Amino acid sequence: MTITKQKICVIGLGYIGLPTASLLGTKGFQVHGVDVTPSVVDTINQGRIHIVEPDLDILVKSAVGSGNLRAGLEPVEADVFILAVPTPFKDDHQPDLSYIEDATRRIAPYVKPGNLVILESTSPVGTTENVVAKILSEEGHKIGDEVFVAHCPERVLPGRILTELVENDRIVGGIDEKSTAKAIEFYNSFVRGEVLATNARTAEMAKLTENAFRDVNIAFANELSLICDEQEINVWEMIELANRHPRVNILQPGPGVGGHCIAVDPWFIVAASPKHSNLIRMARKVNDSKPDWVVDKVRASAKKFKHPIIGCLGLSFKADVDDLRESPALGIVRQIHKQQLGELIVAEPNISAHDEFDLLPYQEVIKRADILLLLVDHKEFRGLKASDLKELVLIDTRGVVR
Ligand code: SAJ
């Protein structure tokens, strides 16, 4: 059997699963995607998509059109199973592994000797072995002899997923050497980046470390933004200048850190090693407290008006996506609404409607606002000029207005 004829079953058709499934479909694999939401399954089977991601619509249409991608509510037999389900945390910041447990139980009846099971979901150290391999073993599979299990953490950046799926280097950590070798062979068949071998625990920790690294660095930028505000220094100009040093590369301050990854994954490290994760925990706290600081700024400005109209630009967690998960922008807008700081008007160009807030075209928000709160650096807002916004109080949390 040649590798391109392999059957792949992808569990979870979200921001990682759907791009992966459709990419594999266009590379000649026969892909069956599984999701728990019937409307998602129907949309994909019509060759359409339920999320915003550049060029994903074209890829899904092509994969479904060629007959290589089908979606369903139930898994099917396959050569390779890819688990791409969410790994959120619970109220106490402990990881919630229930989606991985469920997905593993659901594929278990369809797994056969010779199959490879890959966990792509970002996971706490030990999950591949103690959850996925363990459940499959309890369901009667001979792990390591007949069924192979590996972790290959996804690393793609929303907004650039299709490029990064192919171009990024990948880390592959099997629960044993045979599992690692099988998974490497699979990824080498469609990844142009280098595929690097390790064990499952190191792969798990490497992925958590990547996101914690970014979180700590953003926390540094966010802390600088508070210091510079107090010292009446433009933090973005200052960072640009400091970054001209050959060994300094500071990230950008913002209204806080959102999304399903960077705001979540560092907690998995803290949960496993609470005694030794002071910096990582503190970075999370710095980033999580930034939205309150922004709301305080809005409150202070609102006091200068009798009936302030507060215009908010952006709701998503970052630029040019429709994803509202853990979005600091959405949290800030909710607080402004809850604290009744003024009349609220909102624009989010990537979303057609929102169940809590009426959305207006951004030009109208700019025209009507007394206070303009820029929360997301969407491409529509990047050309805004301070000279055109002189009439209003501008709170630019992303430093895009020049
Ligand atoms: N942000 C800033 N300042 C910056 C960079 C980002 O405030 O300088 C904010 C963003 O606005 C956003 C949050 O951080 O709210 C996270 O955005 P992001 O673009 O840094 O990352 P994600 O969450 O979209 O994707 C990350 C990526 N990880 C790294 O870059 C180390 C991606 O490669 C991972 O695959 C993804 O997490 C994931 O799924 O884990």
Side-chain angles (χ1 to χ4, degrees):
M1 185 169 61
T2 63
I3 197 124
T4 48
K5 294 270 190 275
Q6 279 188 315
K7 284 195 182 135
I8 318 290
C9 183
V10 179
I11 313 294
L13 294 174
Y15 287 88
I16 303 304
L18 182 57
T20 305
S22 51
L23 174 77
L24 292 171
T26 57
K27 298 269 177 196
F29 293 91
Q30 276 178 37
V31 187
H32 178 85
V34 180
D35 204 277
V36 287
T37 312
S39 60
V40 167
V41 168
D42 290 345
T43 306
I44 293 166
N45 282 333
Q46 288 160 20
R48 297 186 298 113
I49 56 174
H50 61 289
I51 50 180
V52 170
E53 177 61 31
D55 299 330
L56 183 62
D57 51 345
I58 302 166
L59 204 70
V60 170
K61 199 171 172 201
S62 152
V64 172
S66 69
N68 281 349
L69 173 62
R70 286 288 301 165
L73 292 165
E74 283 301 318
V76 295
E77 290 191 351
D79 301 299
V80 180
F81 291 83
I82 298 177
L83 308 182
V85 293
T87 42
F89 57 62
K90 303 181 209 160
D91 286 344
D92 54 358
H93 292 136
Q94 294 294 320
D96 175 1
L97 300 180
S98 58
Y99 295 89
I100 295 183
E101 289 163 4
D102 272 13
T104 311
R105 287 210 175 85
R106 290 186 64 198
I107 61 165
Y110 299 92
V111 170
K112 299 182 308 301
N115 285 176
L116 171 64
V117 177
I118 297 167
L119 176 65
E120 281 215 5
S121 313
T122 305
S123 302
V125 173
T127 308
T128 312
E129 203 162 347
N130 305 333
V131 178
V132 178
K134 185 166 172 257
I135 291 176
L136 290 172
S137 166
E138 284 166 3
E139 298 289 327
H141 296 292
K142 294 199 171 69
I143 303 301
D145 289 333
E146 290 181 357
V147 173
F148 307 97
V149 181
H151 182 48
C152 180
E154 59 84 9
R155 291 174 132 177
V156 289
L157 192 73
R160 284 180 44 83
I161 291 180
L162 297 186
T163 313
E164 294 207 355
L165 262 181
V166 178
E167 302 295 338
N168 286 2
D169 293 344
R170 299 295 297 255
I171 301 172
V172 168
I175 54 153
D176 53 27
E177 282 184 12
K178 223 165 163 186
S179 296
T180 308
K182 283 237 172 211
I184 286 189
E185 187 190 2
F186 172 64
Y187 282 98
N188 269 332
S189 68
F190 66 95
V191 167
R192 265 204 293 271
E194 216 176 312
V195 183
L196 306 154
T198 183
N199 56 51
R201 291 176 72 81
T202 308
E204 288 158 345
M205 187 62 187
K207 169 60 201 253
L208 300 180
T209 299
E210 290 161 18
N211 282 354
F213 171 87
R214 198 152 166 86
D215 198 44
V216 168
N217 281 280
I218 298 169
F220 182 63
N222 276 333
E223 187 160 297
L224 286 174
S225 74
L226 308 193
I227 295 166
C228 285
D229 186 72
E230 198 168 65
Q231 311 267 354
E232 296 178 10
I233 293 165
N234 179 326
V235 69
W236 288 279
E237 184 195 352
M238 188 280 292
I239 288 175
E240 214 172 297
L241 293 169
N243 281 349
R244 296 296 280 269
H245 183 287
R247 284 173 297 284
V248 174
N249 190 7
I250 304 166
L251 291 176
Q252 297 299 301
V257 166
H260 182 58
C261 311
I262 298 201
V264 175
D265 305 345
W267 287 118
F268 296 171
I269 300 178
V270 177
S273 295
K275 247 173 71 187
H276 302 298
S277 333
N278 296 330
L279 179 64
I280 296 171
R281 185 191 298 104
M282 188 50 80
R284 278 281 70 247
K285 288 189 171 166
V286 167
N287 287 333
D288 274 353
S289 64
K290 188 73 192 284
D292 290 340
W293 184 85
V294 175
V295 174
D296 288 346
K297 284 258 150 208
V298 175
R299 190 182 309 103
S301 296
K303 281 191 183 138
K304 296 175 193 150
F305 296 85
K306 208 164 167 202
H307 301 291
I309 301 180
I310 304 168
C312 297
L313 297 184
L315 283 181
S316 65
F317 88 95
K318 69 174 197 174
D320 306 326
V321 298
D322 68 337
D323 193 341
L324 299 179
R325 289 178 298 175
E326 322 283 332
S327 170
L330 180 59
I332 289 166
V333 172
R334 279 184 178 140
Q335 275 306 316
I336 293 171
H337 176 69
K338 193 172 156 205
Q339 298 182 27
Q340 301 182 336
L341 299 183
E343 184 190 335
L344 189 62
I345 49 175
V346 183
E348 174 42 78
N350 296 293
I351 295 173
S352 52
H354 189 262
D355 49 9
E356 287 167 70
F357 303 106
D358 288 338
L359 300 178
L360 297 175
Y362 76 91
Q363 297 91 338
E364 197 179 326
V365 169
I366 294 173
K367 217 159 143 193
R368 285 183 48 200
D370 297 316
I371 300 167
L372 188 66
L373 177 60
L374 193 145
L375 291 166
V376 190
D377 46 339
H378 289 314
K379 60 179 185 301
E380 290 82 355
F381 312 149
R382 271 179 235 147
L384 293 176
K385 290 200 177 66
S387 52
D388 297 337
L389 305 171
K390 272 198 219 127
E391 304 294 303
L392 37 76
V393 175
L394 174 68
I395 304 174
D396 179 3
T397 69
R398 298 279 183 177
V400 292
V401 180
R402 294 290 157 126

